[in-house]
Amino acid sequence: MSKLEGEVYYPSKEVVARANVKDYDSLYERSIKDREGFWAEEAEKLEWFKKWDKVLDDSQKPFYKWFVGGKFNIVHNAIDRHLKTWRRNKLALIWEGEPGDLRTFSYHALNREVSSFARILHSMGVRKGDTVTIYMPQIPELAFAMLACAKIGAVHSVVYGGFSVEALAERIADARSRVVVTADGGFRRGKITDLKKTVDEAIKRSPTVESCIVVRRTGHEVYMESGRDFWYHDLQQLPIACPDGQECKTEVMDAEDPLFILYTSGTTGKPKGQVHTHGGYAVYTSTTHRYVFDIKEEDRWWCAADPGWITGHSYIVYGPLINGATVMMYEGAPNYPYPNRWWKMIEKYGITILYTSPTAIRGLMRFGDDWPKRYDLSSLRLLGSVGEPINPEAWRWYYEVIGQKRCPIMDTWWQTETGGFMITPLPITPLKPGSATKPFFGNEVAVVDDEGNEVLVGEEGKLVIKNPWPGMARTIYGDPDRYVQTYWKDYEKQGWYKTGDSARIDKDGYVWIIGRIDDVIKVSGYRLGTAEIESALVSHPAVAEAAAIGLPHELKGNAIHAYVILKQGFTPSPRLEQELKDHVASEVGPIARPEDIQFVESLPKTRSGKIMRRVLKAKALGKDVGDLSTLED
Ligand code: WTA
């Protein structure tokens, strides 16, 4: 291996010896030279009801289609096909609740639960192509509900359980869901999160909803509207059957049929429903999971993300189950009741791979080394990170204290839009703390200026992806124009995908992600749009205008800072500041609560009236405010 620049960690002989891929360069080259051939070979590893006619259809760019003509169902691959093998009795899911309760499911049991849920959805009139909104705590039924939708060909739209009324209502409305699946609540830091109450409020604002299935988790009393709300455990007792009897059949889908919608925050108020499909998404998530995390039959895989986030969709539910892995899932907070919680679970269940976010790592690091050191973490063989750039200090702690210098860290860069890992190391890749290293197979990336010229080595520019890949979102639900405008317009001539991130590439070809360049703020790895926060603020009677920006925060990566112009008759006060923070938390979600609110007389705007957030940001950071030629005043 040639000498690499900077702080580099080389994989040990043991890691290389057991790695699924031993030579990145040659397979990468092959995947670029013959992209379709590479993906066809990976797709062959899954079971198709009917093979595709064409791997990639690029006749209507940028609306690419993959595995066209193929008949497929992701659930057939994530569950059904395993039942024909010894994996039937393998553990599919180990789940621990925050209070310490434990539930485990073999693939056989997973099939039973998913089929039962599918029958219930079917009995409520859910059919192929319908959209079901799922708003749940991190309990097994969340995964069952997702898989049940996919099994019968319905489209799921999972709304992260940390979002509040307005965010939920908006997503239900956009997806036009008639059925909502929720729970009475969940446990978080010893408290009950009152999900049902949020759903009740949201349904008041959502005329499309006809019925609501409620899973009992906490047992606390909740309002149940007669004729609309049904307990899941009651429905399970009813002798309902699918048209084809008790054994609920997995629907035969076109490879390009939608599997789910997942909303991401965007620059304007309305969230964007990213649409992912059965075929390409299945191929992409399982392939990336298998290569990057080197999945072996005996692994116990723990992706400690929320299933309501793309990371959970791709790497708790679909990718790992397609690969027949044993998946760990945990309901609650990492430090509840003590900061040993995660380390204790790793020891208890013999977890071999841990995949989490820099925010979680920083949060646990702050409690010191003694907590993890009391546990036997020797089962771990690989670690992973996702959601934001990992600062080298947190990287080193993760590597040294958790991985005990034995476990390479897979710093995976990707997005809701990409479906799966785009830039990522493999276990054999020499690592540089803070760099997501190199593109995954089949992908070509570049860092460019506004015209699309590659910037110089080491310089900051805009990150683009030069090719289509099977896991890409196919469109924005109900708004194909916005899909084109948001991702493909800037580099239309070249046909490149704009990521919205800035990055630099070093002399060894390693990619370093810097952060978002659009109006997206990453708080603790969660993606929020400035517009969502601003419209929540403006919905308060005291607020005339608002602007939100993200500023660096030691634990959260970024924290929200808001600037507010009050309406006449209102005066700034600490009480009002508190009230506004609470208001945002209850409209959007606790994650969106501003760290700080400043009352101002005016906001910097362009002549066309757009708020110049970069000016606010530069001023707050004491930096040069840059080009002000478009500033109105
Ligand atoms: C950021 C999360 C640096 C990035 C899977 C991207 C990262 C946004 C990394 C997408 C990483 C994700 N290093 N930054 N390893 N992974 N990001 O849609 O800014 O919630 O554009 O998907 O997260 O966020 P999203």
Side-chain angles (χ1 to χ4, degrees), residues 309 387-389 411-416 501 516 522 527:
W309 193 25
E388 50 181 318
D411 180 354
T412 61
W413 177 89
W414 58 296
Q415 308 176 300
T416 308
D501 276 14
R516 301 290 310 188
K522 279 250 148 183
R527 183 166 162 176

Side-chain angles (χ1 to χ4, degrees), residues 163-177 180 196-210 225 228 532 535-536 539-540 582-589:
F163 278 140
S164 297
V165 180
E166 184 52 35
L168 175 60
E170 205 173 21
R171 286 159 175 78
I172 293 174
D174 189 75
R176 291 185 281 276
S177 291
V180 174
K196 180 63 170 59
K197 210 165 144 195
T198 306
V199 170
D200 290 338
E201 281 303 310
I203 290 181
K204 279 189 204 151
R205 303 185 199 181
S206 318
T208 56
V209 178
E210 292 163 11
E225 187 167 305
R228 186 196 73 186
E532 271 177 304
S535 60
S539 75
H540 188 278
D582 293 344
H583 180 72
V584 176
S586 82
E587 285 291 301
V588 186

Side-chain angles (χ1 to χ4, degrees), residues 249-297:
K249 208 177 98 257
T250 299
E251 192 76 39
V252 174
M253 308 294 287
D254 285 333
E256 280 292 302
D257 275 338
L259 168 64
F260 66 84
I261 306 172
L262 188 59
Y263 287 89
T264 59
S265 304
T267 25
T268 66
K270 211 167 161 240
K272 301 186 287 248
Q274 305 292 338
V275 178
H276 285 283
T277 59
H278 273 259
Y281 177 80
V283 173
Y284 200 75
T285 54
S286 59
T287 305
T288 47
H289 182 244
R290 192 175 340 106
Y291 282 128
V292 174
F293 284 101
D294 202 30
I295 295 302
K296 301 287 194 297
E297 208 61 80

Side-chain angles (χ1 to χ4, degrees), residues 264 309-311 315 355 358 385-390 410-418 420-421 423 434-436 463 497 499-502 512-518 520 522 525-528:
T264 59
W309 193 25
I310 189 67
T311 310
Y315 299 110
Y355 181 45
S385 172
V386 58
E388 50 181 318
I390 179 163
M410 302 299 104
D411 180 354
T412 61
W413 177 89
W414 58 296
Q415 308 176 300
T416 308
E417 292 86 340
T418 70
F421 311 148
I423 303 175
S435 168
L463 180 68
Y497 167 85
T499 66
D501 276 14
S502 71
W512 299 75
I513 305 294
I514 296 163
R516 301 290 310 188
I517 28 185
D518 53 8
V520 169
K522 279 250 148 183
Y526 287 90
R527 183 166 162 176
L528 293 164

Side-chain angles (χ1 to χ4, degrees), residues 423-443:
I423 303 175
T424 172
L426 300 176
I428 54 159
T429 309
L431 302 171
K432 301 188 186 187
S435 168
T437 75
K438 301 208 172 171
F440 187 72
F441 303 123
N443 295 330

Side-chain angles (χ1 to χ4, degrees), residues 561-605:
H561 291 249
Y563 299 82
V564 164
I565 302 177
L566 290 177
K567 283 188 189 149
Q568 260 188 356
F570 291 91
T571 40
S573 72
R575 226 185 95 199
L576 185 56
E577 181 181 345
Q578 196 53 39
E579 195 179 311
L580 293 178
K581 286 180 183 172
D582 293 344
H583 180 72
V584 176
S586 82
E587 285 291 301
V588 186
I591 191 90
R593 176 187 294 274
E595 188 81 5
D596 176 59
I597 294 182
Q598 284 190 36
F599 297 104
V600 293
E601 296 292 321
S602 67
L603 291 167
K605 284 187 187 165

